[in-house]
Amino acid sequence: METIMGVTSQRVSDRTMARLELDDLHAEVAEGGEKILDGVDLEVQSGEIHALMGPNGSGKSTTAKVIAGHPAYEVTEGAVRIHLDEDEFDGVEIPDEMRTWDLLDLEPNERAALGVFLGFQYPAEIEGVTMVNFLRTALNAKLDEREELFEDDEGEAEEADEDAGYETSPMEGDVEEGEVGVAEFQEIMSEKMEQLDMDAEFAQRYLNAGFSGGEKKQNEVLQAAILEPSVAVLDEIDSGLDIDRLQDVSTGINALRDEQGAGILQITHYQRILDYVEPDHVHIMLDGKIAKSGDADLARKLEDEGYDWVREETYETA
Amino acid sequence: MSSDQDHLRETDSEKRFEFKKEQNAAFAAEKGELDEETIRLISEDKDEPEWMLERRLRALRQFHAMPMPTDWPSQPDLSEVDVKEIVPYIRPDVDMRGSVDDWTELPDEIKDTFDKLGIPEAEKNALSGVGAQYESEVVYQNMQERWEEKGVIFCNMDKAVQDHPELVKEHFMTSCVPPSDNKFAALHGAIWSGGSFVYVPEGVTVEMPIQAYFRMNSEGMGQFEHTLIIAEENSEVHYIEGCSAPQYSKFNLHSGGVEVFVGENAHVQYSTVQNWSKNTYNLNTKRAICESEGTMEWISGSMGSKATMLYPSTILKGRGATDNHITIAFAGEGQDIDTGAKVYHNAPDTKSTIESKSISKDGGRTNYRGLIHISDGAENSSTSVECDALMFDNESTSDTMPYMEIEESKVDVAHEATVGKIGDEDVFYLQSRGLDDDDAKQMIVAGFIEPITEELPIEYAVELNRLIELEMEGSLG
């Protein structure tokens, strides 16, 4: 297995450092059995930015979906693991034997609780659910789930509740112990929205309903910023963005790494976004596996020369 | 706000819908053939005037003369409804004629029941009057004094028969819902008991919603409450009826009647959240007559029951009258929820909008059955009908039967219907953000019905959402 280790990442926030590992991952479409992934090996460490490139149909989006646990795909071989590098996760103690998780055994929401985030190429539109309500619910669900996953014995979970120390005021109403209350959440959300240059009115809009393509992508980054993943997989976050929004989104992605210490796996077809979000590593996917890895120069070479040379190189050596 | 929500959370557990109180009924009609003697007994027990007895007996004759409705396309199966099996009238063992108007006067047992339903909380939140029907009698009613000063009447329907005979005589099951309307309206006319009477004089606006919370609490009994709302010219009122019934081993029949008179330029909103136990046949007749420039709004949430047939209707009688319908229906396993709306445009410049949302799950069936009738001469009328159905699985069914009878050519008619299954991609999207499968689906459903819940007062919106959550968790039997 080829191992791609990044530069030693500096710890910049309280975010849990983790390593996402794809090990000889094989997957097919659950209905019909069409093989898509043919042995993907990849590692993304918190604090690193990886770009995943490749021609249409090479398996990039499938990789992203399989990591997140999309039910349309069946993994036939290999593993997806997350290794948590810390002994503590937002105040929840992580026992040694619970540092490594096989994500394929877990539901999508459990994967999210362990710090995996998927930025969708085509985010769903959910009518009638406001952004603020959705994101607060998601954040609290994630915190709850996290506690459940690490719940070794009852005592620890309760302790964790207190440790998390979220402040709530009696005015907020519907707040359970350990949950982020309405007022506190609104503060978090406005701050993140400001960073992304998003209008305050977004908080009250229905989730992605009637959003422009660009607004949806901005919203994906906003969600990542609020949910604070250890590793964010962003599937063509740059498609359909005009130059202004591309800059906003890029600023948001860089902040995920620089301020929160998240690892980024960015799927893209274009060099354009990589000018703003400089990758530490670039991987080229061909026919369901990583054909070539390199640094930022590799992406620039692709921009000039396309994929043909990679294909030739890959099949010559094979 | 906070304490209210806490209270709802405390009380929304499964047991809230399963409790059942031992009842010492002071009086119960014998099970058996529904005959004149039974009707006379009911009427006598209520000390009713002769004219009301006459109306009951006439309705009884119509009930016996009419056949059971069986010929509607795809109508719910009513073959198990046997009126003989139902003890039609039970009143709680409370020493009262008329109403108790202080919470503390109620027996503990009844207070406990209402506690579980969250009634006192609504009261604490100063939602003005609360009329609650326990068994077939209104035992608790309260009304703010300033309404009385304005001449607003809100009382038990039985009391209204005694105290306001002229108003009742003129409006009770005459022009709006005559007993001849359908077999269950006739049955209702014969054995009705309890319900609310609301009178709002000319030019008066009742600022806070008037609320009544009904429930059934005795095995094998029917509930036949009657609600009569009269809103005079330029008046405005919002009436809220909520129903919740505990579970029973035998079937129950609910056959209520609602009549609303909307005067010139008056505005009436009628909201209801119903949650009948899964063995209840919920067969209601609800109708409004709307004079010129008047506005009638029906907001209905139909939950629970074995079968529901409910089509609130509005007759737009005067020029420029308006009707708005918002309905939501939820059908789980073994449920057949057949609801809709009927609007008769009988005058020019009348306007109606119907928005219907239905959710079906685990083999349940929802059906939107609606009728828009635009009479010859009702020119410049407009109507817009929108029905959306959401299905959880391939076993569930959703039908749409929007009938239109348009006799006038200068009209504007719009109709839109969508039927969809809950989207796997939508669920996955929410799951990827940390919500589990159930929570993700609940959130999608909550969003689907949001246009309706946002019309409701907060307590009812919370209640409706919680009821749907419980339904989806399968914790309601």
Side-chain angles (χ1 to χ4, degrees), chain A residues 70 109 112 118 120 124 127-129 134 141 174 206 208 220 223, chain B residues 5 9 425-426 428-436 443 447 450:
Chain A
H70 197 290
N109 55 303
L118 172 59
F120 284 62
E127 288 283 353
V129 176
F134 159 65
D174 199 13
Y206 294 151
N208 291 325
E220 293 297 284
Q223 293 178 40
Chain B
Q5 286 178 343
R9 192 166 38 240
E425 291 295 329
D426 293 353
F428 175 66
Y429 184 73
L430 298 182
Q431 274 185 290
S432 76
R433 298 300 184 253
L435 278 70
D436 67 25
M443 183 171 267
E450 165 71 14

PDB file of all heavy atoms in Angstrom, chain A residues 70 109 112 118 120 124 127-129 134 141 174 206 208 220 223, chain B residues 5 9 425-426 428-436 443 447 450:
ATOM      1  N   HIS A  70     -22.919   6.280   1.526  1.00  0.00           N
ATOM      2  CA  HIS A  70     -24.098   6.315   0.658  1.00  0.00           C
ATOM      3  C   HIS A  70     -24.624   4.898   0.398  1.00  0.00           C
ATOM      4  O   HIS A  70     -23.866   4.011   0.021  1.00  0.00           O
ATOM      5  CB  HIS A  70     -23.741   6.991  -0.661  1.00  0.00           C
ATOM      6  CG  HIS A  70     -24.942   7.430  -1.432  1.00  0.00           C
ATOM      7  ND1 HIS A  70     -25.794   6.531  -2.022  1.00  0.00           N
ATOM      8  CD2 HIS A  70     -25.449   8.661  -1.688  1.00  0.00           C
ATOM      9  CE1 HIS A  70     -26.778   7.197  -2.622  1.00  0.00           C
ATOM     10  NE2 HIS A  70     -26.599   8.487  -2.426  1.00  0.00           N
ATOM     11  N   ASN A 109     -24.554   8.819   9.889  1.00  0.00           N
ATOM     12  CA  ASN A 109     -24.537   9.807  10.966  1.00  0.00           C
ATOM     13  C   ASN A 109     -23.455   9.493  12.006  1.00  0.00           C
ATOM     14  O   ASN A 109     -22.898  10.393  12.621  1.00  0.00           O
ATOM     15  CB  ASN A 109     -25.915   9.924  11.634  1.00  0.00           C
ATOM     16  CG  ASN A 109     -26.434   8.607  12.138  1.00  0.00           C
ATOM     17  OD1 ASN A 109     -26.557   7.654  11.377  1.00  0.00           O
ATOM     18  ND2 ASN A 109     -26.729   8.533  13.427  1.00  0.00           N
ATOM     19  N   ALA A 112     -20.340  10.838  10.616  1.00  0.00           N
ATOM     20  CA  ALA A 112     -20.311  12.286  10.820  1.00  0.00           C
ATOM     21  C   ALA A 112     -19.867  12.602  12.243  1.00  0.00           C
ATOM     22  O   ALA A 112     -19.074  13.516  12.473  1.00  0.00           O
ATOM     23  CB  ALA A 112     -21.685  12.887  10.539  1.00  0.00           C
ATOM     24  N   LEU A 118     -19.064  15.284   4.320  1.00  0.00           N
ATOM     25  CA  LEU A 118     -19.100  15.247   2.853  1.00  0.00           C
ATOM     26  C   LEU A 118     -19.786  16.505   2.333  1.00  0.00           C
ATOM     27  O   LEU A 118     -20.946  16.772   2.659  1.00  0.00           O
ATOM     28  CB  LEU A 118     -19.857  13.996   2.368  1.00  0.00           C
ATOM     29  CG  LEU A 118     -20.133  13.917   0.850  1.00  0.00           C
ATOM     30  CD1 LEU A 118     -18.832  13.956   0.047  1.00  0.00           C
ATOM     31  CD2 LEU A 118     -20.929  12.658   0.502  1.00  0.00           C
ATOM     32  N   PHE A 120     -21.457  18.002  -0.719  1.00  0.00           N
ATOM     33  CA  PHE A 120     -22.082  17.360  -1.880  1.00  0.00           C
ATOM     34  C   PHE A 120     -21.892  18.153  -3.168  1.00  0.00           C
ATOM     35  O   PHE A 120     -21.925  19.377  -3.170  1.00  0.00           O
ATOM     36  CB  PHE A 120     -23.583  17.192  -1.631  1.00  0.00           C
ATOM     37  CG  PHE A 120     -23.937  16.076  -0.689  1.00  0.00           C
ATOM     38  CD1 PHE A 120     -23.499  16.099   0.630  1.00  0.00           C
ATOM     39  CD2 PHE A 120     -24.707  14.991  -1.115  1.00  0.00           C
ATOM     40  CE1 PHE A 120     -23.826  15.076   1.512  1.00  0.00           C
ATOM     41  CE2 PHE A 120     -25.045  13.963  -0.252  1.00  0.00           C
ATOM     42  CZ  PHE A 120     -24.598  14.001   1.061  1.00  0.00           C
ATOM     43  N   ALA A 124     -28.911  18.342  -1.467  1.00  0.00           N
ATOM     44  CA  ALA A 124     -30.364  18.154  -1.496  1.00  0.00           C
ATOM     45  C   ALA A 124     -31.065  19.442  -1.081  1.00  0.00           C
ATOM     46  O   ALA A 124     -30.543  20.232  -0.304  1.00  0.00           O
ATOM     47  CB  ALA A 124     -30.751  17.028  -0.532  1.00  0.00           C
ATOM     48  N   GLU A 127     -37.360  21.415   1.677  1.00  0.00           N
ATOM     49  CA  GLU A 127     -38.346  22.472   1.888  1.00  0.00           C
ATOM     50  C   GLU A 127     -38.809  22.506   3.342  1.00  0.00           C
ATOM     51  O   GLU A 127     -38.932  21.468   3.990  1.00  0.00           O
ATOM     52  CB  GLU A 127     -39.574  22.235   0.992  1.00  0.00           C
ATOM     53  CG  GLU A 127     -39.338  22.488  -0.491  1.00  0.00           C
ATOM     54  CD  GLU A 127     -39.316  23.971  -0.838  1.00  0.00           C
ATOM     55  OE1 GLU A 127     -39.623  24.801   0.050  1.00  0.00           O
ATOM     56  OE2 GLU A 127     -38.990  24.286  -1.994  1.00  0.00           O
ATOM     57  N   GLY A 128     -39.068  23.697   3.818  1.00  0.00           N
ATOM     58  CA  GLY A 128     -39.732  23.828   5.119  1.00  0.00           C
ATOM     59  C   GLY A 128     -38.819  23.699   6.330  1.00  0.00           C
ATOM     60  O   GLY A 128     -39.278  23.831   7.454  1.00  0.00           O
ATOM     61  N   VAL A 129     -37.529  23.421   6.084  1.00  0.00           N
ATOM     62  CA  VAL A 129     -36.601  23.283   7.207  1.00  0.00           C
ATOM     63  C   VAL A 129     -35.608  24.447   7.135  1.00  0.00           C
ATOM     64  O   VAL A 129     -34.842  24.541   6.183  1.00  0.00           O
ATOM     65  CB  VAL A 129     -35.833  21.942   7.136  1.00  0.00           C
ATOM     66  CG1 VAL A 129     -34.805  21.855   8.250  1.00  0.00           C
ATOM     67  CG2 VAL A 129     -36.808  20.769   7.185  1.00  0.00           C
ATOM     68  N   PHE A 134     -32.026  23.399  11.074  1.00  0.00           N
ATOM     69  CA  PHE A 134     -31.326  22.206  10.582  1.00  0.00           C
ATOM     70  C   PHE A 134     -29.931  22.081  11.196  1.00  0.00           C
ATOM     71  O   PHE A 134     -29.550  21.045  11.723  1.00  0.00           O
ATOM     72  CB  PHE A 134     -31.239  22.261   9.058  1.00  0.00           C
ATOM     73  CG  PHE A 134     -30.151  21.399   8.480  1.00  0.00           C
ATOM     74  CD1 PHE A 134     -30.208  20.018   8.602  1.00  0.00           C
ATOM     75  CD2 PHE A 134     -29.066  21.963   7.831  1.00  0.00           C
ATOM     76  CE1 PHE A 134     -29.207  19.214   8.083  1.00  0.00           C
ATOM     77  CE2 PHE A 134     -28.060  21.177   7.310  1.00  0.00           C
ATOM     78  CZ  PHE A 134     -28.133  19.803   7.435  1.00  0.00           C
ATOM     79  N   ALA A 141     -27.154  16.615  17.266  1.00  0.00           N
ATOM     80  CA  ALA A 141     -27.234  15.181  16.980  1.00  0.00           C
ATOM     81  C   ALA A 141     -25.824  14.591  16.928  1.00  0.00           C
ATOM     82  O   ALA A 141     -25.562  13.491  17.418  1.00  0.00           O
ATOM     83  CB  ALA A 141     -27.965  14.947  15.661  1.00  0.00           C
ATOM     84  N   ASP A 174     -36.085  25.039  24.400  1.00  0.00           N
ATOM     85  CA  ASP A 174     -35.863  23.637  24.082  1.00  0.00           C
ATOM     86  C   ASP A 174     -34.398  23.178  24.147  1.00  0.00           C
ATOM     87  O   ASP A 174     -33.849  22.739  23.147  1.00  0.00           O
ATOM     88  CB  ASP A 174     -36.402  23.455  22.657  1.00  0.00           C
ATOM     89  CG  ASP A 174     -36.679  22.011  22.337  1.00  0.00           C
ATOM     90  OD1 ASP A 174     -36.707  21.172  23.250  1.00  0.00           O
ATOM     91  OD2 ASP A 174     -36.852  21.731  21.147  1.00  0.00           O
ATOM     92  N   TYR A 206     -35.061  28.152   3.815  1.00  0.00           N
ATOM     93  CA  TYR A 206     -35.158  26.700   3.857  1.00  0.00           C
ATOM     94  C   TYR A 206     -33.914  26.087   3.223  1.00  0.00           C
ATOM     95  O   TYR A 206     -33.400  26.593   2.220  1.00  0.00           O
ATOM     96  CB  TYR A 206     -36.417  26.221   3.126  1.00  0.00           C
ATOM     97  CG  TYR A 206     -37.703  26.631   3.791  1.00  0.00           C
ATOM     98  CD1 TYR A 206     -38.862  26.833   3.066  1.00  0.00           C
ATOM     99  CD2 TYR A 206     -37.760  26.813   5.184  1.00  0.00           C
ATOM    100  CE1 TYR A 206     -40.054  27.202   3.680  1.00  0.00           C
ATOM    101  CE2 TYR A 206     -38.939  27.177   5.803  1.00  0.00           C
ATOM    102  CZ  TYR A 206     -40.084  27.373   5.053  1.00  0.00           C
ATOM    103  OH  TYR A 206     -41.239  27.740   5.672  1.00  0.00           O
ATOM    104  N   ASN A 208     -31.266  24.907   1.287  1.00  0.00           N
ATOM    105  CA  ASN A 208     -30.944  24.803  -0.149  1.00  0.00           C
ATOM    106  C   ASN A 208     -32.127  25.037  -1.090  1.00  0.00           C
ATOM    107  O   ASN A 208     -31.956  25.008  -2.310  1.00  0.00           O
ATOM    108  CB  ASN A 208     -30.317  23.444  -0.498  1.00  0.00           C
ATOM    109  CG  ASN A 208     -28.926  23.284   0.086  1.00  0.00           C
ATOM    110  OD1 ASN A 208     -28.182  24.248   0.171  1.00  0.00           O
ATOM    111  ND2 ASN A 208     -28.595  22.073   0.491  1.00  0.00           N
ATOM    112  N   GLU A 220     -22.522  24.507   1.663  1.00  0.00           N
ATOM    113  CA  GLU A 220     -21.805  23.286   2.052  1.00  0.00           C
ATOM    114  C   GLU A 220     -20.605  23.641   2.922  1.00  0.00           C
ATOM    115  O   GLU A 220     -20.327  22.982   3.924  1.00  0.00           O
ATOM    116  CB  GLU A 220     -21.351  22.505   0.814  1.00  0.00           C
ATOM    117  CG  GLU A 220     -22.481  21.900  -0.022  1.00  0.00           C
ATOM    118  CD  GLU A 220     -23.284  20.865   0.749  1.00  0.00           C
ATOM    119  OE1 GLU A 220     -22.809  19.734   0.936  1.00  0.00           O
ATOM    120  OE2 GLU A 220     -24.388  21.225   1.173  1.00  0.00           O
ATOM    121  N   GLN A 223     -21.713  24.705   6.355  1.00  0.00           N
ATOM    122  CA  GLN A 223     -22.072  23.555   7.201  1.00  0.00           C
ATOM    123  C   GLN A 223     -20.824  22.887   7.768  1.00  0.00           C
ATOM    124  O   GLN A 223     -20.788  22.506   8.940  1.00  0.00           O
ATOM    125  CB  GLN A 223     -22.906  22.548   6.403  1.00  0.00           C
ATOM    126  CG  GLN A 223     -24.268  23.106   6.040  1.00  0.00           C
ATOM    127  CD  GLN A 223     -25.074  22.126   5.212  1.00  0.00           C
ATOM    128  OE1 GLN A 223     -25.063  20.942   5.453  1.00  0.00           O
ATOM    129  NE2 GLN A 223     -25.780  22.635   4.226  1.00  0.00           N
TER     130      GLN A 223
ATOM    131  N   GLN B   5     -43.030  24.164  26.611  1.00  0.00           N
ATOM    132  CA  GLN B   5     -42.400  23.103  25.828  1.00  0.00           C
ATOM    133  C   GLN B   5     -41.945  21.962  26.728  1.00  0.00           C
ATOM    134  O   GLN B   5     -42.064  20.805  26.389  1.00  0.00           O
ATOM    135  CB  GLN B   5     -41.229  23.667  25.029  1.00  0.00           C
ATOM    136  CG  GLN B   5     -41.737  24.484  23.858  1.00  0.00           C
ATOM    137  CD  GLN B   5     -40.616  25.108  23.068  1.00  0.00           C
ATOM    138  OE1 GLN B   5     -39.498  25.206  23.544  1.00  0.00           O
ATOM    139  NE2 GLN B   5     -40.914  25.546  21.873  1.00  0.00           N
ATOM    140  N   ARG B   9     -43.082  18.119  26.514  1.00  0.00           N
ATOM    141  CA  ARG B   9     -42.145  17.014  26.410  1.00  0.00           C
ATOM    142  C   ARG B   9     -42.426  15.978  27.488  1.00  0.00           C
ATOM    143  O   ARG B   9     -42.409  14.795  27.262  1.00  0.00           O
ATOM    144  CB  ARG B   9     -40.703  17.524  26.510  1.00  0.00           C
ATOM    145  CG  ARG B   9     -39.691  16.457  26.126  1.00  0.00           C
ATOM    146  CD  ARG B   9     -38.306  17.032  25.885  1.00  0.00           C
ATOM    147  NE  ARG B   9     -37.998  18.084  26.800  1.00  0.00           N
ATOM    148  CZ  ARG B   9     -37.708  19.325  26.428  1.00  0.00           C
ATOM    149  NH1 ARG B   9     -37.684  19.640  25.179  1.00  0.00           N
ATOM    150  NH2 ARG B   9     -37.428  20.245  27.329  1.00  0.00           N
ATOM    151  N   GLU B 425     -31.916  10.331  -1.373  1.00  0.00           N
ATOM    152  CA  GLU B 425     -30.804  11.285  -1.406  1.00  0.00           C
ATOM    153  C   GLU B 425     -30.981  12.353  -0.331  1.00  0.00           C
ATOM    154  O   GLU B 425     -30.018  12.796   0.286  1.00  0.00           O
ATOM    155  CB  GLU B 425     -30.706  11.954  -2.788  1.00  0.00           C
ATOM    156  CG  GLU B 425     -30.258  11.022  -3.911  1.00  0.00           C
ATOM    157  CD  GLU B 425     -28.819  10.512  -3.744  1.00  0.00           C
ATOM    158  OE1 GLU B 425     -27.972  11.239  -3.177  1.00  0.00           O
ATOM    159  OE2 GLU B 425     -28.541   9.373  -4.176  1.00  0.00           O
ATOM    160  N   ASP B 426     -32.238  12.756  -0.122  1.00  0.00           N
ATOM    161  CA  ASP B 426     -32.512  13.758   0.908  1.00  0.00           C
ATOM    162  C   ASP B 426     -32.175  13.201   2.284  1.00  0.00           C
ATOM    163  O   ASP B 426     -31.567  13.875   3.114  1.00  0.00           O
ATOM    164  CB  ASP B 426     -33.993  14.176   0.883  1.00  0.00           C
ATOM    165  CG  ASP B 426     -34.346  14.936  -0.391  1.00  0.00           C
ATOM    166  OD1 ASP B 426     -33.413  15.250  -1.169  1.00  0.00           O
ATOM    167  OD2 ASP B 426     -35.531  15.211  -0.597  1.00  0.00           O
ATOM    168  N   PHE B 428     -30.120  10.750   2.974  1.00  0.00           N
ATOM    169  CA  PHE B 428     -28.670  10.574   3.094  1.00  0.00           C
ATOM    170  C   PHE B 428     -27.970  11.904   3.376  1.00  0.00           C
ATOM    171  O   PHE B 428     -27.042  11.978   4.190  1.00  0.00           O
ATOM    172  CB  PHE B 428     -28.100   9.934   1.823  1.00  0.00           C
ATOM    173  CG  PHE B 428     -26.601   9.821   1.829  1.00  0.00           C
ATOM    174  CD1 PHE B 428     -25.964   8.986   2.744  1.00  0.00           C
ATOM    175  CD2 PHE B 428     -25.824  10.556   0.943  1.00  0.00           C
ATOM    176  CE1 PHE B 428     -24.576   8.890   2.760  1.00  0.00           C
ATOM    177  CE2 PHE B 428     -24.444  10.462   0.966  1.00  0.00           C
ATOM    178  CZ  PHE B 428     -23.820   9.630   1.872  1.00  0.00           C
ATOM    179  N   TYR B 429     -28.444  12.937   2.717  1.00  0.00           N
ATOM    180  CA  TYR B 429     -27.849  14.264   2.922  1.00  0.00           C
ATOM    181  C   TYR B 429     -27.917  14.655   4.405  1.00  0.00           C
ATOM    182  O   TYR B 429     -26.930  15.079   4.999  1.00  0.00           O
ATOM    183  CB  TYR B 429     -28.589  15.288   2.064  1.00  0.00           C
ATOM    184  CG  TYR B 429     -28.011  16.681   2.101  1.00  0.00           C
ATOM    185  CD1 TYR B 429     -26.815  16.978   1.447  1.00  0.00           C
ATOM    186  CD2 TYR B 429     -28.672  17.713   2.760  1.00  0.00           C
ATOM    187  CE1 TYR B 429     -26.291  18.263   1.470  1.00  0.00           C
ATOM    188  CE2 TYR B 429     -28.153  19.004   2.783  1.00  0.00           C
ATOM    189  CZ  TYR B 429     -26.963  19.272   2.128  1.00  0.00           C
ATOM    190  OH  TYR B 429     -26.453  20.547   2.147  1.00  0.00           O
ATOM    191  N   LEU B 430     -29.091  14.495   4.985  1.00  0.00           N
ATOM    192  CA  LEU B 430     -29.249  14.870   6.394  1.00  0.00           C
ATOM    193  C   LEU B 430     -28.465  13.935   7.313  1.00  0.00           C
ATOM    194  O   LEU B 430     -27.883  14.366   8.303  1.00  0.00           O
ATOM    195  CB  LEU B 430     -30.733  14.859   6.782  1.00  0.00           C
ATOM    196  CG  LEU B 430     -31.612  15.860   6.020  1.00  0.00           C
ATOM    197  CD1 LEU B 430     -33.042  15.789   6.526  1.00  0.00           C
ATOM    198  CD2 LEU B 430     -31.084  17.279   6.147  1.00  0.00           C
ATOM    199  N   GLN B 431     -28.429  12.641   6.945  1.00  0.00           N
ATOM    200  CA  GLN B 431     -27.658  11.686   7.747  1.00  0.00           C
ATOM    201  C   GLN B 431     -26.176  12.045   7.750  1.00  0.00           C
ATOM    202  O   GLN B 431     -25.509  11.930   8.764  1.00  0.00           O
ATOM    203  CB  GLN B 431     -27.819  10.285   7.181  1.00  0.00           C
ATOM    204  CG  GLN B 431     -29.035   9.541   7.698  1.00  0.00           C
ATOM    205  CD  GLN B 431     -29.023   8.126   7.174  1.00  0.00           C
ATOM    206  OE1 GLN B 431     -29.226   7.903   5.986  1.00  0.00           O
ATOM    207  NE2 GLN B 431     -28.757   7.182   8.048  1.00  0.00           N
ATOM    208  N   SER B 432     -25.702  12.475   6.600  1.00  0.00           N
ATOM    209  CA  SER B 432     -24.279  12.792   6.498  1.00  0.00           C
ATOM    210  C   SER B 432     -23.913  13.971   7.389  1.00  0.00           C
ATOM    211  O   SER B 432     -22.752  14.232   7.646  1.00  0.00           O
ATOM    212  CB  SER B 432     -23.903  13.105   5.050  1.00  0.00           C
ATOM    213  OG  SER B 432     -24.340  14.403   4.699  1.00  0.00           O
ATOM    214  N   ARG B 433     -24.942  14.689   7.849  1.00  0.00           N
ATOM    215  CA  ARG B 433     -24.685  15.830   8.732  1.00  0.00           C
ATOM    216  C   ARG B 433     -24.829  15.455  10.207  1.00  0.00           C
ATOM    217  O   ARG B 433     -24.703  16.296  11.079  1.00  0.00           O
ATOM    218  CB  ARG B 433     -25.666  16.969   8.408  1.00  0.00           C
ATOM    219  CG  ARG B 433     -25.551  17.508   6.997  1.00  0.00           C
ATOM    220  CD  ARG B 433     -24.140  18.070   6.747  1.00  0.00           C
ATOM    221  NE  ARG B 433     -24.018  18.671   5.430  1.00  0.00           N
ATOM    222  CZ  ARG B 433     -23.353  18.124   4.418  1.00  0.00           C
ATOM    223  NH1 ARG B 433     -22.781  16.945   4.564  1.00  0.00           N
ATOM    224  NH2 ARG B 433     -23.276  18.743   3.261  1.00  0.00           N
ATOM    225  N   GLY B 434     -25.196  14.207  10.464  1.00  0.00           N
ATOM    226  CA  GLY B 434     -25.237  13.768  11.857  1.00  0.00           C
ATOM    227  C   GLY B 434     -26.591  13.298  12.347  1.00  0.00           C
ATOM    228  O   GLY B 434     -26.705  12.785  13.453  1.00  0.00           O
ATOM    229  N   LEU B 435     -27.649  13.491  11.543  1.00  0.00           N
ATOM    230  CA  LEU B 435     -28.966  13.028  11.990  1.00  0.00           C
ATOM    231  C   LEU B 435     -29.111  11.537  11.699  1.00  0.00           C
ATOM    232  O   LEU B 435     -28.705  11.081  10.629  1.00  0.00           O
ATOM    233  CB  LEU B 435     -30.087  13.782  11.256  1.00  0.00           C
ATOM    234  CG  LEU B 435     -30.467  15.152  11.799  1.00  0.00           C
ATOM    235  CD1 LEU B 435     -29.371  16.164  11.539  1.00  0.00           C
ATOM    236  CD2 LEU B 435     -31.755  15.610  11.157  1.00  0.00           C
ATOM    237  N   ASP B 436     -29.698  10.801  12.613  1.00  0.00           N
ATOM    238  CA  ASP B 436     -29.899   9.392  12.291  1.00  0.00           C
ATOM    239  C   ASP B 436     -31.083   9.243  11.330  1.00  0.00           C
ATOM    240  O   ASP B 436     -31.792  10.221  11.045  1.00  0.00           O
ATOM    241  CB  ASP B 436     -30.030   8.516  13.542  1.00  0.00           C
ATOM    242  CG  ASP B 436     -31.286   8.798  14.342  1.00  0.00           C
ATOM    243  OD1 ASP B 436     -32.267   9.292  13.763  1.00  0.00           O
ATOM    244  OD2 ASP B 436     -31.284   8.528  15.551  1.00  0.00           O
ATOM    245  N   MET B 443     -37.383  15.123  10.055  1.00  0.00           N
ATOM    246  CA  MET B 443     -37.108  16.499   9.664  1.00  0.00           C
ATOM    247  C   MET B 443     -37.713  16.788   8.285  1.00  0.00           C
ATOM    248  O   MET B 443     -38.277  17.862   8.059  1.00  0.00           O
ATOM    249  CB  MET B 443     -35.602  16.751   9.662  1.00  0.00           C
ATOM    250  CG  MET B 443     -35.255  18.187   9.343  1.00  0.00           C
ATOM    251  SD  MET B 443     -33.511  18.556   9.601  1.00  0.00           S
ATOM    252  CE  MET B 443     -33.540  19.171  11.276  1.00  0.00           C
ATOM    253  N   GLY B 447     -40.650  19.509   7.593  1.00  0.00           N
ATOM    254  CA  GLY B 447     -40.517  20.534   6.566  1.00  0.00           C
ATOM    255  C   GLY B 447     -41.662  20.487   5.566  1.00  0.00           C
ATOM    256  O   GLY B 447     -42.179  21.521   5.136  1.00  0.00           O
ATOM    257  N   GLU B 450     -44.557  22.130   7.080  1.00  0.00           N
ATOM    258  CA  GLU B 450     -44.271  23.450   7.638  1.00  0.00           C
ATOM    259  C   GLU B 450     -45.272  24.530   7.212  1.00  0.00           C
ATOM    260  O   GLU B 450     -45.713  25.328   8.034  1.00  0.00           O
ATOM    261  CB  GLU B 450     -42.828  23.850   7.271  1.00  0.00           C
ATOM    262  CG  GLU B 450     -42.462  25.306   7.449  1.00  0.00           C
ATOM    263  CD  GLU B 450     -42.361  25.745   8.901  1.00  0.00           C
ATOM    264  OE1 GLU B 450     -42.315  24.871   9.774  1.00  0.00           O
ATOM    265  OE2 GLU B 450     -42.339  26.960   9.139  1.00  0.00           O
TER     266      GLU B 450
END
